[in-house]
Amino acid sequence: MSRFLSEKFADLEPYTPGEQPREGRYIKLNTNENPFPPHPSVTEAAEAESRKLQLYSDPECKALRAALAAETGLREEELMMTNGSDEALYFAFLAFCDRHTPAIFADVTYGFYPVYARITGTPYREIPLGEDFRLEPKDYYQAAATIFIANPNAPTGLALRPEEIAGILEQNPYTVAVIDEAYVDFGAESCLELIREYDNLLVVQTFSKSRSLAGGRLGFAAGNEELIRDLNAIRYSVNPYNVNRMTSAAGIACLKQEEYTRKNCRIIQENRAWTAARLKELGFEMTESRTNFLFARHPAVSGETLYKELKKRKILIRHLSGKRIADYNRITIGTREEMEKLIQTLEKIPGIG
Ligand SMILES: *Cc1c(COP(=O)(O)O)cnc(C)c1O
């Protein structure tokens, strides 16, 4: 830390992104990326748009929001595009939390929530998940706080049903609940339809996972028009050109390829079922994942050892810190070939095979 850093950031603990190796041929099962590239028409659209890079992007993302409105059945005024959904989450902390309205979220959830709470000066409470990592909706009733729920949750992979979210919304009429649906396309039910019923619901989604655009950085917030107006006030105070031209063009092209997206999600779900069955045969225990990853532990090998043994053998998985989950690893679902290689490699690790 330089002697110039503002004292308000003296004990900032930044988020730790998963490793992105530059050399060496790793099978990357550590950052929940999609193993399939974007549809060729998406790459072409981004390339064509790159010829206009001397011009600012559209701060309203008009064409992209129109396409997304058609896809989701929402109105354009109910949508705001962001630079990855992380930015939407950050703006939600800025807009809907303060000294009097703390944030609450689970003790085992997306690592960015506490980071955003701290950088925005938001007090927060962590609500312990149940023994089996289940989230008890009643724990969020009358929260008197802005609620952040990843649904499905990461890294546990478990999902609540929209009725359960509706119960939470009903019991918190004076505060906002932010439902982070980064993984919803891999087998959970979205809450987008509840937006018309609840003016305190903000749904956040990303193009990073199911739509193969992690490197493009595209996400969105969906909610009641007034919530979206608040978020836009924040966005126009930070960076109105938050979505660049190429990403915006890629997003529009991507929304024309819903069949491609659905097919890839289906393959990933099949690979997940296959991998889960093989891991069980090897003695692993895991949660019922509705995402593109498995959250697994082995009774005979510690989480950290497993991570290191796989890394030595050129497979990266994610070992997360936190004492409740130290035994576990988060394993992204890749192609069938990648998952076969994972299983073959695991079979050779002492204590497992
Ligand atoms: C991946 C992820 C995000 C956001 O990723 P972006 O790439 O910023 O869109 C948000 N929430 C959870 C729970 C995630 O796993």
Side-chain angles (χ1 to χ4, degrees), residues 225-280:
E225 199 174 328
E226 286 182 30
L227 289 185
I228 296 299
R229 209 177 297 137
D230 293 341
L231 287 175
N232 270 316
I234 303 283
R235 189 171 66 87
Y236 276 82
S237 307
V238 176
N239 182 12
Y241 307 108
N242 59 332
V243 178
N244 75 70
R245 281 185 165 271
M246 292 186 291
T247 295
S248 194
I252 294 165
C254 186
L255 289 169
K256 292 186 183 137
Q257 301 296 337
E258 282 301 286
E259 191 40 51
Y260 179 75
T261 298
R262 270 195 292 274
K263 187 190 77 191
N264 289 342
C265 289
R266 216 158 42 230
I267 296 170
I268 289 166
Q269 288 175 77
E270 285 162 17
N271 292 351
R272 179 179 75 206
W274 183 89
T275 309
R278 297 293 87 73
L279 288 176
K280 275 182 194 144

Side-chain angles (χ1 to χ4, degrees), residues 14-22 26-33 86 110-112 183 209 307 311 316-321 330 332:
Y15 177 77
T16 318
E19 300 159 86
Q20 294 288 8
R22 266 161 209 88
Y26 283 93
I27 294 183
K28 260 189 104 277
L29 307 177
N30 68 330
T31 50
N32 296 343
E33 287 149 322
D86 287 336
Y110 190 36
F112 245 127
Y183 299 102
K209 315 283 169 45
Y307 160 77
K311 187 171 178 182
L316 285 179
I317 58 174
R318 188 85 194 258
H319 184 65
L320 296 154
S321 58
R330 194 192 70 191
T332 304

Side-chain angles (χ1 to χ4, degrees), residues 32 84-86 89 110 113 150 154 180 182-183 206 208-209 214 217-218:
N32 296 343
S85 61
D86 287 336
L89 294 167
Y110 190 36
Y113 302 158
D180 176 354
Y183 299 102
T206 179
S208 293
K209 315 283 169 45
R217 314 303 302 129
L218 186 61

